[in-house]
Amino acid sequence: MSRARAWPSRLVLLGHPLGHTLSPAIHGAALRSAGIDVEYRALDVPPDALPATLDALIAERAAGNVTIPHKGAVAARCERLTDVARRAGAVNTFWCEDGALVGHNTDVGGFDASVRALLDDVPRAARVAVIGAGGAAGAVLAAVEGWPRCDARVWNRTAERADALVSRFPRAAREASLADALDGAALVVNATSVGLRDDALPVPIDALPRDAAVLDLVYRPGETEWVRAARAAGHRAADGLPMLVEQAALAEERWFDVPADREAMWGAVGGRPEWMRVPDR
Ligand code: NAP
């Protein structure tokens, strides 16, 4: 495949505060496997330093990823957005083309792929309960609208934020209570940060519809308590690690136009979880 543009000078992850992040290890594995000598580094950038940082990155033709709290601000700064970034209302992947900043969103594809892995396909004619209304929930709703005859019911701690989110998605509605959002859902998604730092559950296990699958966008070593408890109660359940690895792979493929080595990327985070492993034949 011929490349329309040169490789980026370097790769960065923009966020604040960043703390420990798996992204440099995951991307480093993909870059090494592809023999690409480009560095990927986490950059902790406070919001007031973001405009100048982006100017400098554009000048040096860098590319990268974006995480909390910059996904909306980078989207607003981009000269061009891909359709999926415009739909999600957030940018998690960017690059430079002819001096212009281009924004994309691989969280949508990462989420879609993790649901396909968990359920063997995307849901059809089904209801999806989405807990949360931030940038990640926008990516979830953008994926759900690509699934046949599916709709989403959103519940968020701050109702106004859920109203603003669903107003952009005709197949999504805000529910006044968690119970209403869960009613009849075939898939329940945690798109909040509940469970990130402790064992708090975004949804009590006994409130889950009996046959619902559970997808937690949060990931922690050894999976989240919500995922472990849901699985113990008989639900199909996955945490956010498959989405994290896939959104990183999709970003690599955007930057370099070569297939990303997903096995190498999984290797950087200890390998695929048990439920994703293909049994030996
Ligand atoms: P965000 O824009 O800051 O939104 C945070 C969301 O969490 C909001 O809905 C917020 O509700 C809710 N929330 C926070 N603390 C809460 C609490 N104590 N109780 C109830 N709700 C609470 O963040 P985001 O970008 O959407 O990310 C959300 C989560 O998804 C994060 O944990 C992030 O790590 C994860 N994520 C994972 C991946 C992946 O690849 N696996 C990708 C993207 C994001 P309010 O509106 O009421 O504040």
Coordinates of all heavy atoms in Angstrom, one line a residue, residues 182-271:
L182 N -31.9 -0.2 33.1 CA -31.5 -1.7 33.0 C -32.6 -2.5 32.5 O -32.4 -3.6 31.9 CB -31.1 -2.2 34.4 CG -29.9 -1.6 35.1 CD1 -29.8 -2.0 36.5 CD2 -28.6 -2.0 34.3
D183 N -33.9 -2.0 32.5 CA -35.0 -2.8 32.2 C -34.9 -3.4 30.8 O -34.9 -2.6 29.8 CB -36.3 -2.0 32.3 CG -37.5 -2.8 32.3 OD1 -37.5 -4.0 32.6 OD2 -38.6 -2.3 31.8
G184 N -34.9 -4.7 30.6 CA -34.8 -5.3 29.3 C -33.5 -5.2 28.6 O -33.4 -5.6 27.4
A185 N -32.4 -4.8 29.2 CA -31.2 -4.7 28.5 C -30.5 -6.0 28.3 O -30.4 -6.9 29.2 CB -30.2 -3.8 29.3
A186 N -30.0 -6.2 27.1 CA -29.2 -7.4 26.8 C -27.8 -7.2 27.1 O -27.0 -8.2 27.2 CB -29.4 -7.8 25.3
L187 N -27.3 -6.0 27.1 CA -25.9 -5.6 27.4 C -25.9 -4.4 28.3 O -26.6 -3.5 28.1 CB -25.2 -5.3 26.1 CG -23.8 -4.8 26.2 CD1 -22.8 -5.9 26.7 CD2 -23.3 -4.3 24.8
V188 N -25.1 -4.5 29.4 CA -25.0 -3.4 30.4 C -23.6 -2.9 30.3 O -22.6 -3.7 30.6 CB -25.4 -3.9 31.8 CG1 -25.3 -2.7 32.8 CG2 -26.8 -4.4 31.8
V189 N -23.4 -1.7 30.0 CA -22.0 -1.1 29.9 C -21.7 -0.1 31.0 O -22.5 0.8 31.2 CB -21.9 -0.4 28.5 CG1 -20.5 0.2 28.4 CG2 -22.2 -1.3 27.4
N190 N -20.6 -0.3 31.7 CA -20.2 0.7 32.7 C -19.2 1.7 31.9 O -18.1 1.3 31.6 CB -19.5 0.1 33.9 CG -18.9 1.2 34.8 OD1 -19.5 2.3 34.9 ND2 -17.8 1.0 35.4
A191 N -19.7 2.9 31.7 CA -18.9 3.9 31.0 C -18.6 5.1 32.0 O -18.3 6.2 31.7 CB -19.6 4.5 29.8
T192 N -18.6 4.7 33.3 CA -18.2 5.7 34.4 C -16.8 5.2 34.9 O -16.3 4.2 34.5 CB -19.2 5.7 35.6 OG1 -18.9 4.5 36.4 CG2 -20.6 5.8 35.1
S193 N -16.2 6.0 35.8 CA -15.0 5.6 36.3 C -15.2 4.9 37.7 O -14.2 4.6 38.4 CB -14.0 6.8 36.5 OG -14.8 7.9 37.0
V194 N -16.4 4.5 38.0 CA -16.7 3.7 39.2 C -16.0 2.4 39.1 O -16.1 1.7 38.1 CB -18.2 3.6 39.4 CG1 -18.5 2.6 40.6 CG2 -18.8 4.9 39.7
G195 N -15.2 2.0 40.2 CA -14.5 0.8 40.2 C -13.0 0.9 39.7 O -12.3 -0.1 39.7
L196 N -12.7 2.1 39.3 CA -11.3 2.3 38.9 C -10.3 2.2 40.0 O -9.2 1.7 39.9 CB -11.2 3.7 38.2 CG -10.0 4.1 37.4 CD1 -9.7 3.1 36.3 CD2 -10.1 5.5 36.9
R197 N -10.6 2.8 41.1 CA -9.7 2.9 42.2 C -10.0 2.0 43.4 O -9.3 1.9 44.4 CB -9.5 4.4 42.7 CG -8.7 5.2 41.7 CD -8.7 6.6 42.0 NE -8.3 7.3 40.8 CZ -9.1 7.7 39.9 NH1 -10.4 7.6 40.0 NH2 -8.7 8.3 38.8
D198 N -11.3 1.5 43.4 CA -11.7 0.6 44.6 C -12.6 -0.4 44.0 O -12.8 -0.5 42.8 CB -12.3 1.5 45.7 CG -13.5 2.3 45.2 OD1 -14.1 1.8 44.2 OD2 -13.8 3.3 45.7
D199 N -13.3 -1.2 44.9 CA -14.1 -2.3 44.4 C -15.6 -1.9 44.4 O -16.5 -2.7 44.4 CB -13.9 -3.5 45.3 CG -12.6 -4.2 45.0 OD1 -12.1 -3.9 43.9 OD2 -12.2 -5.0 45.9
A200 N -15.8 -0.6 44.2 CA -17.2 -0.1 44.1 C -17.9 -0.7 42.8 O -17.2 -0.8 41.8 CB -17.3 1.4 44.1
L201 N -19.2 -1.0 42.9 CA -19.9 -1.6 41.7 C -20.7 -0.5 41.1 O -21.5 0.1 41.7 CB -20.8 -2.7 42.2 CG -20.1 -3.9 42.9 CD1 -21.2 -5.0 43.2 CD2 -18.9 -4.5 42.2
P202 N -20.6 -0.3 39.8 CA -21.4 0.7 39.1 C -22.9 0.3 39.1 O -23.8 1.2 39.1 CB -20.9 0.8 37.7 CG -20.1 -0.5 37.5 CD -19.6 -0.9 38.8
V203 N -23.2 -1.0 39.1 CA -24.5 -1.5 39.1 C -24.5 -2.8 40.1 O -23.7 -3.6 39.9 CB -25.0 -2.0 37.7 CG1 -26.3 -2.7 37.8 CG2 -25.0 -0.8 36.7
P204 N -25.4 -2.8 41.1 CA -25.5 -4.0 41.9 C -25.7 -5.2 41.1 O -26.5 -5.2 40.1 CB -26.7 -3.7 42.9 CG -26.9 -2.3 42.8 CD -26.5 -1.8 41.4
I205 N -25.1 -6.3 41.4 CA -25.2 -7.5 40.6 C -26.7 -8.0 40.5 O -27.2 -8.4 39.5 CB -24.3 -8.7 41.1 CG1 -22.8 -8.2 41.1 CG2 -24.5 -10.0 40.3 CD1 -22.3 -7.8 39.7
D206 N -27.4 -7.9 41.7 CA -28.8 -8.4 41.7 C -29.7 -7.5 40.9 O -30.9 -7.9 40.7 CB -29.2 -8.8 43.1 CG -29.2 -7.5 44.0 OD1 -28.9 -6.4 43.5 OD2 -29.4 -7.7 45.2
A207 N -29.2 -6.4 40.5 CA -30.1 -5.5 39.6 C -29.9 -5.8 38.1 O -30.7 -5.2 37.3 CB -29.7 -4.0 39.9
L208 N -28.9 -6.6 37.8 CA -28.7 -6.9 36.3 C -29.8 -7.7 35.8 O -30.2 -8.7 36.5 CB -27.4 -7.6 36.2 CG -26.1 -6.8 36.4 CD1 -24.9 -7.7 36.5 CD2 -25.9 -5.7 35.4
P209 N -30.3 -7.5 34.6 CA -31.3 -8.4 34.0 C -30.6 -9.8 33.9 O -29.4 -9.9 33.6 CB -31.5 -7.8 32.6 CG -31.2 -6.4 32.7 CD -30.1 -6.3 33.7
R210 N -31.4 -10.8 34.1 CA -30.9 -12.2 34.3 C -29.9 -12.6 33.2 O -28.8 -13.2 33.5 CB -32.0 -13.2 34.4 CG -31.7 -14.4 35.1 CD -32.9 -15.2 35.5 NE -33.7 -15.5 34.4 CZ -33.7 -16.6 33.7 NH1 -32.8 -17.6 34.0 NH2 -34.5 -16.8 32.7
D211 N -30.2 -12.4 31.9 CA -29.4 -12.9 30.8 C -28.5 -11.8 30.2 O -27.9 -12.0 29.2 CB -30.3 -13.4 29.7 CG -31.1 -14.6 30.2 OD1 -30.5 -15.4 31.0 OD2 -32.3 -14.8 29.8
A212 N -28.4 -10.7 30.9 CA -27.6 -9.6 30.3 C -26.1 -9.9 30.3 O -25.6 -10.5 31.3 CB -27.8 -8.3 31.1
A213 N -25.4 -9.5 29.3 CA -23.9 -9.5 29.3 C -23.5 -8.2 29.9 O -24.2 -7.2 29.9 CB -23.4 -9.6 27.9
V214 N -22.2 -8.2 30.4 CA -21.7 -7.0 31.2 C -20.4 -6.6 30.6 O -19.5 -7.4 30.4 CB -21.6 -7.5 32.7 CG1 -20.6 -6.6 33.4 CG2 -22.9 -7.6 33.3
L215 N -20.3 -5.3 30.2 CA -19.0 -4.8 29.7 C -18.6 -3.6 30.5 O -19.3 -2.6 30.6 CB -19.1 -4.5 28.3 CG -17.7 -4.7 27.6 CD1 -17.9 -5.1 26.1 CD2 -16.9 -3.5 27.6
D216 N -17.5 -3.7 31.2 CA -16.9 -2.7 32.1 C -15.8 -2.0 31.3 O -14.8 -2.6 30.9 CB -16.3 -3.3 33.3 CG -16.2 -2.3 34.4 OD1 -16.2 -1.0 34.1 OD2 -15.9 -2.7 35.6
L217 N -15.9 -0.7 31.0 CA -14.9 0.0 30.3 C -13.6 0.2 31.2 O -12.5 0.4 30.7 CB -15.3 1.4 29.7 CG -16.5 1.3 28.7 CD1 -16.6 2.7 28.0 CD2 -16.5 0.2 27.8
V218 N -13.9 0.1 32.5 CA -12.7 0.2 33.4 C -11.9 -1.1 33.4 O -12.5 -2.2 33.2 CB -13.3 0.5 34.8 CG1 -12.2 0.4 35.9 CG2 -14.0 1.8 34.9
Y219 N -10.6 -0.9 33.5 CA -9.7 -2.1 33.6 C -8.8 -1.9 34.8 O -8.4 -0.8 35.1 CB -9.0 -2.4 32.3 CG -8.3 -1.1 31.8 CD1 -7.0 -0.8 32.2 CD2 -8.9 -0.3 30.9 CE1 -6.4 0.4 31.8 CE2 -8.3 0.9 30.5 CZ -7.0 1.2 30.9 OH -6.4 2.3 30.5
R220 N -8.5 -3.0 35.4 CA -7.6 -3.1 36.6 C -6.9 -4.4 36.5 O -7.4 -5.4 36.0 CB -8.3 -2.9 37.9 CG -8.9 -1.6 38.1 CD -9.7 -1.6 39.4 NE -8.8 -1.6 40.6 CZ -9.2 -1.7 41.9 NH1 -10.5 -1.8 42.1 NH2 -8.4 -1.8 42.8
P221 N -5.7 -4.5 37.1 CA -5.0 -5.8 37.2 C -6.0 -6.8 37.8 O -6.6 -6.5 38.8 CB -3.8 -5.6 38.0 CG -3.5 -4.1 38.0 CD -4.9 -3.4 37.8
G222 N -6.1 -8.0 37.2 CA -7.0 -9.0 37.7 C -8.5 -8.7 37.5 O -9.3 -9.3 38.1
E223 N -8.8 -7.8 36.6 CA -10.2 -7.4 36.2 C -10.8 -6.6 37.4 O -10.3 -6.6 38.5 CB -11.0 -8.6 35.8 CG -10.5 -9.4 34.6 CD -11.4 -10.5 34.2 OE1 -11.8 -11.3 35.1 OE2 -11.6 -10.6 33.0
T224 N -12.0 -6.0 37.1 CA -12.6 -5.2 38.1 C -13.5 -6.1 39.0 O -13.9 -7.2 38.5 CB -13.5 -4.1 37.5 OG1 -14.5 -4.7 36.7 CG2 -12.7 -3.1 36.7
E225 N -13.9 -5.6 40.2 CA -14.7 -6.4 41.0 C -16.1 -6.7 40.4 O -16.7 -7.7 40.5 CB -14.9 -5.7 42.4 CG -15.9 -6.3 43.4 CD -15.5 -7.7 43.8 OE1 -14.3 -8.1 43.6 OE2 -16.4 -8.5 44.2
W226 N -16.6 -5.6 39.6 CA -17.9 -5.8 39.0 C -17.9 -6.9 38.0 O -18.8 -7.7 37.9 CB -18.2 -4.4 38.3 CG -19.6 -4.3 37.8 CD1 -20.8 -4.6 38.6 CD2 -20.1 -3.9 36.5 NE1 -21.9 -4.3 37.8 CE2 -21.5 -3.9 36.6 CE3 -19.5 -3.6 35.3 CZ2 -22.3 -3.6 35.5 CZ3 -20.2 -3.2 34.2 CH2 -21.6 -3.2 34.3
V227 N -16.8 -7.0 37.2 CA -16.7 -8.1 36.2 C -16.6 -9.5 36.9 O -17.3 -10.4 36.5 CB -15.5 -7.8 35.3 CG1 -15.1 -9.1 34.5 CG2 -15.8 -6.7 34.3
R228 N -15.8 -9.5 37.9 CA -15.6 -10.8 38.6 C -16.9 -11.2 39.3 O -17.3 -12.4 39.1 CB -14.5 -10.7 39.7 CG -13.1 -10.6 39.2 CD -12.1 -10.8 40.3 NE -12.2 -9.8 41.4 CZ -11.6 -8.7 41.5 NH1 -10.7 -8.4 40.6 NH2 -11.8 -7.9 42.5
A229 N -17.6 -10.3 39.9 CA -18.9 -10.6 40.6 C -20.0 -11.0 39.5 O -20.8 -11.9 39.8 CB -19.3 -9.5 41.4
A230 N -20.0 -10.3 38.4 CA -21.1 -10.5 37.4 C -20.8 -11.9 36.8 O -21.8 -12.7 36.6 CB -21.0 -9.5 36.3
R231 N -19.6 -12.3 36.6 CA -19.3 -13.6 36.0 C -19.6 -14.7 37.0 O -20.2 -15.7 36.6 CB -17.8 -13.6 35.6 CG -17.5 -14.8 34.7 CD -16.0 -14.8 34.3 NE -15.6 -13.8 33.4 CZ -14.6 -13.0 33.5 NH1 -13.8 -13.1 34.6 NH2 -14.3 -12.0 32.7
A232 N -19.3 -14.4 38.3 CA -19.6 -15.4 39.3 C -21.1 -15.7 39.4 O -21.6 -16.8 39.7 CB -19.1 -15.0 40.6
A233 N -21.9 -14.6 39.0 CA -23.4 -14.8 39.0 C -23.9 -15.3 37.7 O -25.1 -15.3 37.5 CB -24.0 -13.4 39.3
G234 N -23.0 -15.7 36.8 CA -23.5 -16.4 35.6 C -23.6 -15.5 34.3 O -24.0 -15.9 33.3
H235 N -23.2 -14.2 34.5 CA -23.2 -13.3 33.3 C -22.0 -13.4 32.5 O -20.9 -13.6 33.0 CB -23.4 -11.8 33.8 CG -24.6 -11.6 34.5 ND1 -25.8 -11.2 33.9 CD2 -24.9 -11.7 35.9 CE1 -26.7 -11.1 34.9 NE2 -26.2 -11.3 36.1
R236 N -22.1 -13.3 31.2 CA -20.9 -13.1 30.3 C -20.3 -11.7 30.6 O -21.1 -10.7 30.6 CB -21.2 -13.2 28.9 CG -21.3 -14.7 28.4 CD -21.4 -14.8 26.9 NE -22.8 -14.4 26.6 CZ -23.2 -14.5 25.3 NH1 -22.4 -14.8 24.3 NH2 -24.5 -14.2 25.0
A237 N -19.1 -11.6 30.9 CA -18.6 -10.3 31.4 C -17.1 -10.0 31.0 O -16.3 -11.0 30.9 CB -18.6 -10.2 32.9
A238 N -16.8 -8.8 30.6 CA -15.4 -8.4 30.2 C -15.1 -7.0 30.8 O -16.0 -6.2 30.9 CB -15.3 -8.4 28.7
D239 N -13.9 -6.8 31.0 CA -13.4 -5.5 31.5 C -13.0 -4.7 30.3 O -13.2 -5.1 29.1 CB -12.4 -5.6 32.6 CG -11.0 -6.0 32.1 OD1 -10.9 -6.3 30.9 OD2 -10.1 -6.0 32.9
G240 N -12.3 -3.5 30.5 CA -12.0 -2.6 29.5 C -10.6 -2.9 28.8 O -10.2 -2.2 27.9
L241 N -10.0 -4.0 29.2 CA -8.6 -4.2 28.6 C -8.7 -4.6 27.1 O -7.9 -4.1 26.3 CB -7.9 -5.3 29.4 CG -6.4 -5.4 29.2 CD1 -5.7 -4.0 29.5 CD2 -5.8 -6.4 30.2
P242 N -9.7 -5.5 26.7 CA -9.7 -5.7 25.2 C -10.0 -4.5 24.4 O -9.5 -4.3 23.3 CB -10.9 -6.7 25.1 CG -11.0 -7.4 26.5 CD -10.6 -6.3 27.5
M243 N -10.8 -3.6 25.0 CA -11.1 -2.3 24.3 C -9.8 -1.5 24.2 O -9.5 -0.9 23.2 CB -12.2 -1.5 25.0 CG -12.5 -0.1 24.4 SD -13.9 0.6 25.2 CE -13.8 2.3 24.7
L244 N -9.1 -1.4 25.3 CA -7.8 -0.6 25.3 C -6.8 -1.1 24.3 O -6.2 -0.3 23.6 CB -7.2 -0.7 26.7 CG -5.9 0.1 26.9 CD1 -6.2 1.6 27.0 CD2 -5.0 -0.4 28.0
V245 N -6.6 -2.5 24.2 CA -5.7 -3.0 23.3 C -6.2 -2.8 21.8 O -5.4 -2.4 21.0 CB -5.5 -4.5 23.5 CG1 -4.6 -5.2 22.4 CG2 -4.8 -4.7 24.9
E246 N -7.5 -3.0 21.6 CA -7.9 -2.8 20.2 C -7.9 -1.3 19.8 O -7.5 -1.0 18.6 CB -9.4 -3.4 20.1 CG -9.9 -3.3 18.7 CD -9.1 -4.1 17.7 OE1 -8.4 -5.1 18.0 OE2 -9.3 -3.8 16.5
Q247 N -8.3 -0.4 20.7 CA -8.2 1.0 20.2 C -6.8 1.4 20.0 O -6.5 2.2 19.0 CB -8.9 2.0 21.2 CG -8.3 2.0 22.7 CD -7.1 2.9 22.8 OE1 -6.9 3.8 22.0 NE2 -6.2 2.6 23.7
A248 N -5.8 0.8 20.7 CA -4.4 1.1 20.4 C -4.0 0.5 19.1 O -3.3 1.1 18.3 CB -3.5 0.5 21.5
A249 N -4.5 -0.7 18.8 CA -4.1 -1.4 17.5 C -4.7 -0.5 16.3 O -4.0 -0.3 15.3 CB -4.7 -2.8 17.5
L250 N -5.9 -0.1 16.5 CA -6.5 0.7 15.4 C -5.8 2.0 15.2 O -5.7 2.5 14.1 CB -8.0 1.0 15.7 CG -8.9 -0.3 15.7 CD1 -10.3 0.0 16.3 CD2 -9.0 -0.9 14.3
A251 N -5.3 2.6 16.3 CA -4.5 3.9 16.2 C -3.2 3.6 15.4 O -2.8 4.3 14.5 CB -4.2 4.4 17.6
E252 N -2.5 2.5 15.8 CA -1.3 2.2 15.1 C -1.5 2.0 13.6 O -0.7 2.5 12.7 CB -0.7 0.8 15.6 CG -0.1 0.9 17.0 CD 1.2 1.6 17.0 OE1 2.0 1.4 16.0 OE2 1.5 2.2 18.0
E253 N -2.7 1.4 13.2 CA -3.0 1.2 11.8 C -3.2 2.5 11.1 O -2.9 2.6 9.9 CB -4.1 0.1 11.7 CG -3.6 -1.2 12.1 CD -4.7 -2.3 12.3 OE1 -5.9 -2.0 12.2 OE2 -4.3 -3.5 12.4
R254 N -3.8 3.5 11.8 CA -4.0 4.8 11.2 C -2.7 5.5 11.0 O -2.5 6.2 10.0 CB -4.9 5.6 12.2 CG -6.3 5.3 12.1 CD -7.0 6.0 10.9 NE -8.3 5.5 10.7 CZ -9.2 6.2 9.9 NH1 -8.8 7.3 9.2 NH2 -10.4 5.7 9.7
W255 N -1.8 5.4 12.0 CA -0.5 6.2 11.9 C 0.4 5.6 10.8 O 1.1 6.3 10.2 CB 0.2 6.2 13.2 CG -0.5 6.9 14.3 CD1 -1.3 8.0 14.2 CD2 -0.6 6.5 15.7 NE1 -1.8 8.3 15.5 CE2 -1.4 7.4 16.4 CE3 0.0 5.5 16.4 CZ2 -1.6 7.4 17.8 CZ3 -0.2 5.4 17.8 CH2 -1.0 6.3 18.4
F256 N 0.4 4.2 10.7 CA 1.5 3.6 9.9 C 1.0 2.8 8.7 O 1.8 2.3 8.0 CB 2.3 2.7 10.8 CG 3.0 3.5 11.9 CD1 2.6 3.5 13.2 CD2 4.1 4.4 11.6 CE1 3.2 4.2 14.2 CE2 4.7 5.1 12.6 CZ 4.2 5.1 13.9
D257 N -0.3 2.6 8.6 CA -0.9 1.8 7.5 C -0.3 0.4 7.4 O -0.1 -0.1 6.3 CB -0.6 2.5 6.1 CG -1.6 3.6 5.8 OD1 -2.7 3.7 6.5 OD2 -1.3 4.4 4.9
V258 N 0.0 -0.2 8.5 CA 0.4 -1.6 8.5 C -0.4 -2.3 9.6 O -0.7 -1.7 10.6 CB 2.0 -1.8 8.8 CG1 2.8 -1.2 7.6 CG2 2.4 -1.2 10.1
P259 N -0.7 -3.6 9.4 CA -1.5 -4.3 10.4 C -0.7 -4.3 11.7 O 0.5 -4.6 11.8 CB -1.6 -5.7 9.8 CG -1.3 -5.6 8.4 CD -0.3 -4.4 8.2
A260 N -1.5 -4.0 12.8 CA -0.8 -4.0 14.1 C -0.8 -5.5 14.6 O -1.7 -6.3 14.4 CB -1.7 -3.2 15.1
D261 N 0.3 -5.8 15.3 CA 0.6 -7.1 15.8 C -0.2 -7.2 17.2 O 0.4 -6.9 18.2 CB 2.1 -7.4 16.0 CG 2.3 -8.8 16.5 OD1 1.4 -9.5 17.0 OD2 3.5 -9.2 16.4
R262 N -1.4 -7.6 17.2 CA -2.2 -7.6 18.4 C -1.7 -8.6 19.4 O -1.8 -8.4 20.6 CB -3.7 -7.9 18.0 CG -4.4 -6.7 17.4 CD -5.7 -7.1 16.7 NE -6.4 -5.9 16.2 CZ -6.0 -5.2 15.1 NH1 -5.0 -5.6 14.4 NH2 -6.8 -4.1 14.7
E263 N -1.1 -9.7 18.9 CA -0.6 -10.7 19.9 C 0.6 -10.1 20.7 O 0.7 -10.2 21.9 CB -0.1 -12.0 19.2 CG -1.2 -12.9 18.7 CD -2.3 -13.1 19.7 OE1 -2.0 -13.4 20.9 OE2 -3.5 -12.9 19.4
A264 N 1.4 -9.3 20.0 CA 2.5 -8.6 20.7 C 2.0 -7.6 21.7 O 2.5 -7.5 22.8 CB 3.5 -8.0 19.7
M265 N 0.9 -6.9 21.3 CA 0.3 -5.9 22.1 C -0.3 -6.5 23.4 O -0.1 -6.0 24.5 CB -0.7 -5.1 21.3 CG -0.1 -4.3 20.2 SD -1.2 -3.5 19.1 CE -1.4 -1.9 19.8
W266 N -1.0 -7.7 23.2 CA -1.5 -8.4 24.3 C -0.4 -8.9 25.2 O -0.5 -8.9 26.5 CB -2.4 -9.5 23.9 CG -3.8 -9.2 23.7 CD1 -4.5 -9.1 22.6 CD2 -4.7 -8.8 24.8 NE1 -5.8 -8.7 22.8 CE2 -6.0 -8.5 24.2 CE3 -4.6 -8.7 26.2 CZ2 -7.1 -8.1 24.9 CZ3 -5.8 -8.4 26.9 CH2 -7.0 -8.0 26.3
G267 N 0.7 -9.3 24.6 CA 1.9 -9.8 25.4 C 2.4 -8.7 26.3 O 2.9 -9.0 27.4
A268 N 2.3 -7.5 25.9 CA 2.8 -6.4 26.8 C 1.9 -6.2 28.0 O 2.4 -5.5 29.0 CB 2.8 -5.1 26.0
V269 N 0.7 -6.7 28.0 CA -0.1 -6.6 29.2 C -0.5 -7.9 29.8 O -1.5 -8.1 30.5 CB -1.4 -5.8 28.9 CG1 -1.1 -4.3 28.6 CG2 -2.2 -6.4 27.7
G270 N 0.4 -8.9 29.6 CA 0.3 -10.2 30.3 C -0.5 -11.2 29.5 O -0.9 -12.3 30.1
G271 N -0.9 -10.9 28.3 CA -1.6 -11.9 27.5 C -3.1 -11.7 27.6 O -3.7 -11.0 28.4

